[in-house]
Each structure stands twice: as C-alpha cells, then as structure tokens.
C-alpha cells in the first residue's frame, strides 16, 4: 500500500462513531503526542462526541475500508474568529512516512483556504521532531510561543502558524 491508494474523507454529521474510533485509536497508540488522554476521551458520551464533530472540520485518511489517519481544524478562543487550529493529527504507525500526514494537511489547507480562512495555527510538543518536520515541510513556521504542559511542566509545546 502507498499514499497513492489513500483518499481523504470529510466527516459528516453521521460520522460521530467514526471520529470517536479513530481518535481513541490515536490516543491509545500515541499518548505522548497529545494533551488529551485516552482515559479522558473514552468516557465522553455520544453527545460530547457529537459536539466535538460539530465544532470543526474533520478529515480521515482511508485506504481500502480502513481509517489510517486523522486531522481536524477548529476555532478556538485565543486566535482570531476566522482562523482555525489544527489538531488530532495522527497517522497509523504502519502507514507512516508515505506522505499521508502531508496529504491530510494539504487537503485541510485547500479546504480552509477555499472557505476564506486566513491562518491555520497549531501546538506541537517540542520533543516531537517528526511532527515538527512535517509541519515545517507543510509551510508552518514557529511563532516563538512556548509553554510548559500543565500535566508535566518538564515538557513544552510550541505554537506554529501557516498563512493560507
Ligand atoms: C507526525 C505524523 C503525523 C507524521 O505522519 P506521516 O504520514 O508519517 O508524515 P509524512 O509521511 O507526510 O512525512 C512528512 C515529513 O515529515 C518528516 N517526518 C515524518 N515522520 C518522520 C520520521 N519518523 N523521521 C524523520 N522525519 C519524519 C519528514 O520530513 C517527512 O518528509 P520525508 O518523508 O519526505 O522525509 C506521524 O508520525 C504520527 O502520527 N505521529 C504520532 C502522532 C503525532 O505526533 N501527532 C502530531 C501531534 S501535534
């Protein structure tokens, strides 16, 4: 399998269970990459997942019936109302380094640009060089914002932004 056989689906209102399943797979598999934990989100009710789905744009990378990647974009309080944050970025371990993360980002950027979104922001752990390289390659730059994690102040996240 290669990136050539992978397509990107935009989740719709009926995809609550799908969002839950892919996100929980990501949290279970890669706990250090995210601020939320599997134990927190596994307890979310259907209403909470429905609200999460409705909060933003959610892309799933799929390949022959399997979901192999996830990426979302949501508005947040600490950025201008028209901008979005990228979050939930994850590619299944057996499909990494094929360009699927890049494909998710490029697809998201194209959609947001078409919708007139000016900037896409994100936070990433500064001990996650693979994600930092992915984002730099997709045109994000460091803003200089850096903060310790509430749950572990020995670790830090840095903020990046890409003008669309
Ligand atoms: C980070 C992640 C999403 C990358 O997904 P991916 O599909 O492997 O990314 P791509 O194949 O598009 O890689 C794009 C570039 O990122 C960099 N990169 C990604 N993974 C890398 C690795 N393991 N080692 C070195 N560079 C890496 C490379 O520059 C790569 O370009 P190249 O393959 O041409 O050298 C994936 O590793 C992942 O899901 N990690 C765990 C979750 C996570 O960290 N999410 C980010 C939260 S902010």
């Amino acid at each position: 399998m290669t990136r050539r056989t992978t397509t990107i689906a935009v989740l719709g209102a009926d995809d609550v269970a799908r969002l839950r399943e892919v996100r929980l797979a990501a949290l279970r598999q890669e706990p250090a990459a995210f601020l939320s934990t599997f134990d927190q989100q596994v307890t979310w009710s259907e209403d909470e997942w429905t609200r999460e789905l409705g909060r933003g744009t959610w892309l799933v990378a799929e390949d022959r019936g399997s979901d192999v990647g996830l990426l979302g974009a949501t508005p947040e309080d600490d950025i201008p109302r028209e901008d979005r944050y990228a979050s939930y970025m994850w590619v299944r371990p057996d499909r990494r380094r094929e360009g699927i993360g890049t494909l998710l980002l490029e697809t998201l950027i194209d959609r947001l640009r078409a919708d007139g979104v000016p900037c896409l922001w994100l936070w990433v752990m500064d001990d996650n060089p693979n994600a930092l390289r992915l984002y730099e390659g997709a045109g994000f730059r460091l803003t200089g914002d850096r903060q310790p994690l509430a749950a572990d102040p020995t670790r830090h996240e840095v903020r990046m932004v890409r003008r669309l």
Side-chain angles (χ1 to χ4, degrees):
M1 282 187 278
T2 71
R3 166 176 163 165
R4 279 197 302 279
T5 60
T6 304
T7 56
I8 304 296
V10 182
L11 298 190
D14 292 341
D15 287 318
V16 175
R18 193 173 178 191
L19 177 64
R20 178 180 193 276
E21 193 176 315
V22 190
R23 173 59 169 173
L24 291 181
L27 289 172
R28 191 185 298 113
Q29 186 275 320
E30 202 78 38
F34 304 107
L35 287 184
S36 304
T37 66
F38 177 85
D39 287 347
Q40 284 163 353
Q41 283 195 264
V42 78
T43 66
W44 281 12
S45 65
E46 174 140 11
D47 281 355
E48 286 172 296
W49 283 107
T50 302
R51 260 200 307 282
E52 185 71 343
L53 183 70
R55 231 163 52 81
T57 302
W58 304 97
L59 304 184
V60 168
E62 60 185 4
D63 201 318
R64 298 167 211 194
S66 293
D67 291 340
V68 298
L70 175 65
L71 177 63
T74 53
E76 301 292 343
D77 290 342
D78 61 338
I79 51 174
R81 191 145 35 111
E82 314 75 43
D83 289 354
R84 295 290 180 271
Y85 260 110
S87 59
Y88 281 27
M89 167 59 90
W90 176 75
V91 173
R92 214 173 66 187
D94 61 320
R95 300 301 308 274
R96 290 184 186 164
R97 232 40 213 286
E98 294 178 25
I100 293 173
T102 302
L103 178 64
L104 281 162
L105 274 173
E106 287 173 348
T107 306
L108 183 66
I109 286 167
D110 286 349
R111 280 189 70 90
L112 295 179
R113 190 186 284 126
D115 289 344
V117 172
C119 287
L120 182 59
W121 302 77
L122 60 85
W123 286 102
V124 53
M125 310 299 177
D126 69 358
D127 58 6
N128 189 348
N130 300 339
L132 281 161
R133 256 182 243 127
L134 164 71
Y135 297 138
E136 279 161 8
F140 286 81
R141 63 167 179 77
L142 290 165
T143 61
D145 299 325
R146 182 173 184 269
Q147 62 187 25
L149 306 193
D152 178 2
T154 66
R155 298 182 67 210
H156 292 80
E157 55 180 354
V158 292
R159 191 150 76 148
M160 303 183 85
V161 66
R162 188 192 195 286
R163 191 162 289 285
L164 304 186

